[in-house]
Amino acid sequence: MPLFRQLAEANVTVSVPRYCNVLMRGGYVTRNFWLVVLVLLVSGCSASENKDDVELTVSAAASLQDALAEIQNAFEKEYPDITLFFNFGASGSLQQQILQGAPVDLFFSAAEDKFANVVHEGFIDQEDAVALVGNEMVVVMSKNNDTRVDAMEDLAKLDGSISIGTPETVPAGKYAKEALENVGVWKDVESNVIYAKDVRQVLTYVETGNVEAGIVYKTDAAISQNVQILATVPEATYSSIIYPIGILKGTKHPDEAKTFYEYLQGDKAMEILQKYGFKRLEKRA
């Protein structure tokens, strides 16, 4: 007679983890549920199998979304015991969340100043941080729009609105405003500017025709099937775009966080980032 049948006939109870209590009461199995127990054990529903699994929370700039999705797929195949959870948003907003105590394991920012604030406040050690990739800014319009824009100065001639990220919280918006100021057209276009919560929202406004033009990262423009790049913003007109990443001191999983941190600096992850248009940078402390 099978062991579980013998236990059932003897009305013996077997304790199992509460999160596996399918059709059970109080976490215990009686003779009416021996078959359920067998199925659960065979399917691997046990505390011991999952006790070493770790979930890392990575707060990352919205412009990294597509590249990190592909990196996540490759990383989790290589490290099946580590699950990545990404919190995407504007770097300024992510910075504020961290400073207010949000439980984050790694911060991947699109702006050095936002990242530096987190380091300065003692949330990240400089030795656990690296400037990983760079980016560029471009002017985009919907593919359905045949208006010519050959240079930044031409934006002042547009009849419609222009969208950029909110400069105070969105690095791409800060870079865009810098460029518009430095080419001398900010005062001409300011009244027509529509601000967005992040660079992806700028892209959406352009794609849907809610604005005539937008200034976004080259990497975001490259993934859209509905926009055209009309001009590259001269790099001399805005601050260098650097994406630093670092491990939070408060992480409960320092070894796993270090594993992903180092993985991002490896050739496989860097190839993916470059495929999406990011520029490789030399490591620096």
Side-chain angles (χ1 to χ4, degrees):
M1 179 182 295
L3 175 60
F4 285 100
R5 173 68 71 179
Q6 295 178 40
L7 293 174
E9 291 297 328
N11 201 28
V12 175
T13 61
V14 180
S15 179
V16 296
R18 286 189 177 273
Y19 56 79
C20 291
N21 65 346
V22 179
L23 299 178
M24 293 186 286
R25 300 176 190 170
Y28 293 94
V29 181
T30 67
R31 61 186 177 186
N32 295 321
F33 301 109
W34 65 269
L35 184 57
V36 174
V37 175
L38 179 59
V39 171
L40 292 175
L41 293 176
V42 169
S43 64
C45 184
S46 67
S48 61
E49 284 191 72
N50 296 316
K51 66 180 180 181
D52 294 326
D53 288 0
V54 168
E55 181 179 277
L56 294 178
T57 298
V58 183
S59 285
S63 52
L64 290 159
Q65 190 167 341
D66 294 272
L68 286 180
E70 187 168 335
I71 288 173
Q72 177 181 21
N73 184 54
F75 177 81
E76 291 182 354
K77 285 181 180 178
E78 191 169 335
Y79 298 94
D81 294 335
I82 303 177
T83 299
L84 301 175
F85 172 77
F86 291 104
N87 174 34
F88 293 106
S91 296
S93 298
L94 298 176
Q95 168 211 273
Q96 288 300 318
Q97 292 171 11
I98 291 171
L99 296 182
Q100 292 168 10
V104 176
D105 298 294
L106 298 102
F107 180 32
F108 201 166
S109 174
E112 288 189 290
D113 60 340
K114 310 302 182 188
F115 189 85
N117 289 339
V118 176
V119 174
H120 178 73
E121 293 297 326
F123 286 82
I124 293 176
D125 278 327
Q126 192 62 56
E127 62 185 25
D128 291 325
V130 64
L132 195 63
V133 291
N135 211 336
E136 300 174 73
M137 301 298 295
V138 295
V139 178
V140 295
M141 280 187 174
S142 167
K143 284 188 175 179
N144 298 321
N145 192 327
D146 58 5
T147 303
R148 284 186 61 86
V149 173
D150 298 317
M152 291 286 287
E153 291 81 357
D154 293 337
L155 293 175
K157 305 173 184 177
L158 297 180
D159 295 325
S161 299
I162 301 166
S163 183
I164 67 173
T166 303
E168 292 76 19
T169 57
V170 184
K174 185 191 78 168
Y175 302 135
K177 183 180 178 182
E178 278 183 27
L180 291 167
E181 289 175 334
N182 287 327
V183 299
V185 298
W186 174 250
K187 290 183 179 179
D188 297 321
V189 303
E190 184 177 6
S191 61
N192 290 328
V193 170
I194 303 297
Y195 297 104
K197 66 178 183 179
D198 57 41
V199 70
R200 289 301 174 91
Q201 190 172 61
V202 175
L203 198 62
T204 299
Y205 286 163
V206 175
E207 290 175 330
T208 56
N210 287 314
V211 299
E212 189 168 7
I215 303 177
V216 300
Y217 292 125
K218 182 179 180 180
T219 51
D220 288 282
I223 63 170
S224 174
Q225 303 297 314
N226 301 309
V227 304
Q228 54 183 323
I229 296 176
L230 297 181
T232 298
V233 181
E235 291 190 55
T237 63
Y238 58 89
S239 304
S240 297
I241 303 176
I242 305 296
Y243 285 65
I245 184 169
I247 301 172
L248 274 294
K249 287 183 183 179
T251 178
K252 295 181 180 180
H253 311 291
D255 292 339
E256 291 81 3
K258 189 76 169 181
T259 296
F260 184 56
Y261 172 76
E262 292 176 348
Y263 183 88
L264 285 171
Q265 299 173 60
D267 290 339
K268 185 181 296 185
M270 192 56 62
E271 285 175 9
I272 294 173
L273 287 163
Q274 289 177 308
K275 184 179 83 171
Y276 283 89
F278 293 96
K279 300 187 295 183
R280 186 168 196 160
L281 302 176
E282 293 296 324
K283 294 181 182 179
R284 65 185 186 183

